[in-house]
Amino acid sequence: MSTDAHCFRLPALPKDDFDGEKPILGVRRRMCVRLGLGTLIFLGIIQLLSVLSGLLIVLVPNGIHRITYKWGQLGHAGQGLSSWPTDFSGGILPIPCHSHNDYWQHVPLYSAIEAGCISVEADVWLFDEQLYVGHSLASLTLNRTLASLYVDPLVNILKKQNPTTRFHPDENASHHGVFDTDPEQSLTLLIDFKTSGSSLFPYVVSALEPLRSRGYLSHYNGSQIINRPITVVGTGNTPFKLVDSTVSNPHQDIFFDAPLDAMWDGPADEKPPTIPKTGPPVYGADIDASMPELVAAEREERSANDDMGQGKSGAPDTPEAYTTANSFYASVSFTQSVGHVLFGELSESQLALIRGHIRGAHRRGLKVRYWELPFWPIGLRNHVWDVLVKEGIDILNVDDLKAASEGVWTERTGWWS
């Protein structure tokens, strides 16, 4: 018998299975697929375990979680201890932001306080001896008034913040503000006079009586400012001469929004930087001082006219007239005074102008506010906000309360974002 007869023979396979690289490539592909699937399954299991562990903490909390989760509820730890008389704004930290056109917010006044803003703005119109709040005539309604949106809510809030209890028997013994975390912080109510200033002024004085009678309004007592929970400032067509008069403003509890652009302060031999302006002239900035007859005419018009807008109505000839006795803010349109921000950065001339404004206002004891700030692109807005705060403005004029309160605007990614 041949030895070949005792050899084990493999079954014949197609020749193509042994020729070339095809078998090797097929095995590699299968191994890669299996490895990839195995990795995904492993990661999925890890993720599932992570989710389950989180649910376990929620469903089966430890001791501290069991206490904090139902603290103060009936039948649980802390029953009856979760609230206190002045908890209206508990946990809210006040920040130096002004809620511009506050009546546009989801909840006027309350949204601003919730964000921590220490200043709110109401545009006021006089019709039929009533003070209505809105941005334009078309937006006015009979029920949106200065009283319903601001005065009455503030009275209710402050009554809650100054309760009558066994430990605090006299609500007038203290004058706590709207912020429980900082009771001494005053909330500024900026009233923008939209109709004739001289006609509107006495109605505003009268409308503030519910706050005044309870001692809630900051005022000048003849020698110093008495700080109280609410500080009222008149802007828009508010006439300076009526604010500065003890006849029309007998309690001296309405202050003026002075013209910031008139207060530039620098070295004696230095003039304010020249910035290309847009829009109407501000406080004579575009009038050539070499033409005294024009300067005099412009000053006379400001002094005589009560309806010239922020910082101009019934304005005096000299910025030295604005003091803490009659003014609170010093404001100006950013666009008209500082100009447009080109190439995403404030120029050195613009920075010099801003610094001069701030020096001049602070020398007079006034708080600096720029309105009409750029709002888009968001990155550009954030850049301007960041620079103004770092340069020392006192209040940031904002529409986006969430962005202002979260402070994310300090993390600039680009002017276009």
Side-chain angles (χ1 to χ4, degrees), residues 198-353:
S198 57
S199 299
L200 210 164
F201 195 86
Y203 287 92
V204 171
V205 172
S206 177
L208 296 173
E209 186 58 30
L211 292 165
R212 181 182 300 114
S213 63
R214 291 173 172 81
Y216 292 153
L217 294 183
S218 299
H219 57 278
Y220 180 66
N221 69 356
S223 60
Q224 63 179 341
I225 298 296
I226 305 301
N227 193 57
R228 291 294 168 84
I230 306 299
T231 300
V232 177
V233 181
T235 189
N237 289 333
T238 302
F240 175 81
K241 61 186 179 183
L242 296 185
V243 172
D244 198 40
S245 168
T246 55
V247 175
S248 52
N249 189 15
H251 307 282
Q252 295 182 280
D253 52 14
I254 299 177
F255 297 88
F256 193 63
D257 188 15
L260 179 60
D261 53 303
M263 299 184 183
W264 190 89
D265 196 357
D269 59 345
E270 186 177 336
K271 293 183 178 180
T274 301
I275 305 294
K277 302 296 192 303
T278 59
V282 288
Y283 206 87
D286 296 338
I287 294 180
D288 190 345
S290 65
M291 304 176 68
E293 66 279 4
L294 289 182
V295 175
E298 196 262 356
R299 286 179 175 175
E300 183 178 355
E301 182 183 6
R302 284 201 314 269
S303 180
N305 197 331
D306 289 345
D307 305 319
M308 294 190 67
Q310 186 265 313
K312 303 175 188 176
S313 300
D317 290 345
T318 170
E320 299 305 323
Y322 306 108
T323 68
T324 54
N326 54 46
S327 301
F328 183 80
Y329 281 142
S331 307
V332 73
S333 162
F334 182 90
T335 302
Q336 293 180 24
S337 63
V338 179
H340 292 294
V341 182
L342 302 178
F343 311 112
E345 299 283 346
L346 285 161
S347 68
E348 288 302 317
S349 295
Q350 289 174 315
L351 289 173
L353 188 63

Side-chain angles (χ1 to χ4, degrees), residues 101-175:
N101 292 342
D102 179 74
Y103 47 84
W104 274 345
Q105 296 297 333
H106 176 60
V107 184
L109 179 63
Y110 291 95
S111 292
I113 294 175
E114 184 179 35
C117 286
I118 61 173
S119 181
V120 297
E121 179 179 336
D123 291 359
V124 174
W125 308 71
L126 174 64
F127 287 102
D128 299 326
E129 300 185 341
Q130 293 293 327
L131 301 180
Y132 299 100
V133 173
H135 191 67
S136 63
L137 290 175
S139 69
L140 302 182
T141 65
L142 291 176
N143 61 345
R144 288 173 67 87
T145 65
L146 183 64
S148 66
L149 290 179
Y150 294 96
V151 175
D152 292 346
L154 284 172
V155 169
N156 292 333
I157 291 169
L158 292 172
K159 287 174 66 176
K160 182 175 178 59
Q161 298 303 94
N162 296 275
T164 300
T165 69
R166 176 184 177 184
F167 306 99
H168 190 263
D170 182 6
E171 68 172 295
N172 295 318
S174 64
H175 294 92

